């Protein structure tokens, strides 16, 4: 019996999987939700379908971006359909890679990166450095086509041993130093709207200043096996159960007679 299928092998060896949305209707729901709310928040006199997210920097001032982003995040996370559709975009792949008894991050995140904006940078990091458990995977959904600095970068999985060795030698002076040491091993993800990226957040990743002339809009959310170990980001406060199997429910509910 084979231990891993081709998706799992790919995920282990490469660190990420890019595929077409398993449910284009769900991807469209997410995109339309964002566009509708943006048109309302920004008081735009256009049909939401005509809002081009690539051009969002033409409608919002840089100093108002974070306020708008936070409002959108709060609206996203009040909508249960958004959460459901988010999962449906990659449900089968999440089952392959993460499992079928799942916990999902309670809050879905939204990133908006204007061209040349220096305020929304995420320097090279691994999520496990800030309280995430190594059992988590990130589902990253682009709402526009992403490439080069408009996208995120990730360290090639095969370089992880070298990365750890370099790190443990303590020859790293700063995050910038870390970035420049591994620059040639970082891969910028090329991904289009309508596709999903599932990645191993144990691999160092981040972004740079978006030097393209388009805005990046993307969503991200973590998934993990419900019964895998938790670090600081707990079940209840950071994750919520998404799917339990019947036998697990029976087991959890069971009381010995007497
Ligand atoms: Fe991260």
């Amino acid at each position: 019996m084979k231990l891993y299928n081709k998706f799992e092998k790919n995920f282990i060896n490469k660190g990420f999987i890019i595929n077409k949305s398993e449910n284009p209707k769900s991807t469209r729901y997410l995109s339309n939700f964002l566009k509708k709310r943006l048109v309302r928040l920004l008081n735009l006199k256009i049909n939401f379908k005509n809002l081009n997210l690539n051009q969002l920097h033409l409608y919002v001032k840089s100093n108002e971006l974070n306020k708008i982003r936070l409002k959108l995040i709060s609206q996203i996370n009040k909508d249960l359909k958004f959460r459901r559709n988010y999962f449906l975009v990659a449900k089968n792949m999440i089952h392959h890679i993460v499992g079928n008894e799942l916990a999902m991050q309670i809050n879905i995140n939204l990133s908006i990166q204007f061209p040349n904006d220096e305020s929304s940078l995420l320097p090279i990091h691994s999520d496990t450095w800030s309280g995430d458990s190594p059992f988590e995977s990130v589902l990253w959904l682009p709402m526009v086509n992403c490439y080069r600095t408009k996208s995120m970068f990730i360290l090639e999985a095969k370089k992880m041993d070298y990365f750890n060795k370099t790190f443990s030698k303590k020859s790293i002076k700063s995050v910038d130093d870390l970035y420049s040491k591994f620059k040639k091993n970082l891969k910028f993800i090329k991904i289009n709207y309508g596709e999903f990226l599932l990645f191993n957040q144990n691999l160092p990743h981040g972004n740079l200043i978006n030097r393209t002339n388009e805005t990046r809009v993307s969503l991200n959310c973590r998934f993990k096996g419900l019964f895998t170990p938790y670090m600081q980001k707990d079940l209840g406060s950071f994750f919520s159960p998404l799917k339990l199997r019947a036998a697990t429910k029976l087991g959890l509910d069971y009381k010995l007679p007497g």
Side-chain angles (χ1 to χ4, degrees):
M1 201 172 79
K2 277 192 213 152
L3 196 52
Y4 301 113
N5 66 28
K6 64 173 180 180
F7 301 118
E8 293 171 284
K9 278 186 196 154
N10 204 9
F11 195 76
I12 292 168
N13 296 331
K14 225 169 129 192
F16 63 90
I17 284 178
I18 295 172
N19 249 3
K20 280 212 162 30
S21 169
E22 292 170 8
N23 202 331
K25 253 187 169 174
S26 291
T27 308
R28 219 157 32 239
Y29 179 90
L30 307 180
S31 169
N32 286 347
F33 183 100
L34 288 176
K35 287 181 181 179
K36 277 182 203 165
R37 296 304 186 287
L38 272 166
V39 163
R40 213 176 296 159
L41 280 170
L42 300 171
N43 243 325
L44 302 177
K45 306 284 176 255
I46 56 169
N47 184 303
F48 77 91
K49 286 185 179 151
N50 296 328
L51 178 64
N52 180 355
L53 294 177
N54 280 300
Q55 302 298 321
L56 200 57
H57 53 281
L58 303 179
Y59 300 102
V60 187
K61 287 188 202 132
S62 290
N63 60 1
E64 286 178 358
L65 174 59
N66 204 37
K67 197 176 78 190
I68 297 288
R69 195 178 68 87
L70 293 175
K71 277 187 182 165
L72 277 171
I73 289 178
S74 139
Q75 294 178 354
I76 283 171
N77 289 300
K78 278 184 195 140
D79 186 76
L80 284 178
K81 277 195 209 155
F82 197 96
R83 190 170 177 76
R84 181 170 163 69
N85 281 299
Y86 196 97
F87 175 54
L88 288 177
V89 169
K91 181 181 169 184
N92 293 330
M93 190 58 79
I94 290 172
H95 282 173
H96 278 302
I97 303 298
V98 187
N100 63 11
E101 292 195 298
L102 293 164
M104 178 175 176
Q105 189 176 333
I106 289 173
N107 286 315
I108 295 168
N109 285 318
L110 170 72
S111 299
I112 303 177
Q113 274 200 294
F114 284 173
N116 303 312
D117 178 14
E118 298 177 14
S119 67
S120 50
L121 292 184
L122 206 51
I124 184 166
H125 70 284
S126 159
D127 297 3
T128 48
W129 303 349
S130 55
D132 285 276
S133 119
F135 293 84
E136 298 167 18
S137 299
V138 178
L139 179 62
W140 197 94
L141 301 183
M143 294 291 105
V144 290
N145 296 350
C146 297
Y147 52 92
R148 300 201 296 270
T149 54
K150 189 186 171 192
S151 189
M152 55 164 274
F153 62 74
I154 188 163
L155 184 79
E156 294 170 29
K158 60 176 190 271
K159 293 287 171 185
M160 201 55 206
D161 281 348
Y162 173 56
F163 183 90
N164 285 336
K165 272 179 207 144
T166 312
F167 210 82
S168 62
K169 275 191 220 150
K170 297 204 174 15
S171 57
I172 309 286
K173 292 174 204 76
S174 64
V175 181
D176 287 345
D177 186 28
L178 188 63
Y179 174 79
S180 52
K181 274 206 166 66
F182 288 94
K183 200 174 167 182
K184 60 179 187 302
N185 304 121
L186 301 173
K187 185 179 165 48
F188 275 93
I189 303 280
K190 187 178 181 327
I191 185 168
N192 287 338
Y193 169 72
E195 296 177 322
F196 68 79
L197 163 71
L198 188 67
F199 75 90
N200 170 5
Q201 46 90 40
N202 303 335
L203 295 174
H205 56 275
N207 66 35
L208 296 180
I209 297 171
N210 174 3
R211 295 293 185 201
T212 73
N213 55 13
E214 296 172 335
T215 291
R216 186 240 281 186
V217 180
S218 63
L219 296 156
N220 69 79
C221 185
R222 298 179 177 87
F223 291 84
K224 72 195 289 294
L226 185 57
F227 298 107
T228 54
Y230 291 80
M231 301 289 275
Q232 274 124 287
K233 301 193 172 164
D234 267 333
L235 188 64
S237 58
F238 194 84
F239 284 97
S240 69
L242 178 66
K243 178 70 194 162
L244 267 91
R245 294 287 154 188
T248 302
K249 182 195 158 21
L250 294 177
L252 291 174
D253 289 348
Y254 184 74
K255 286 186 189 74
L256 274 172

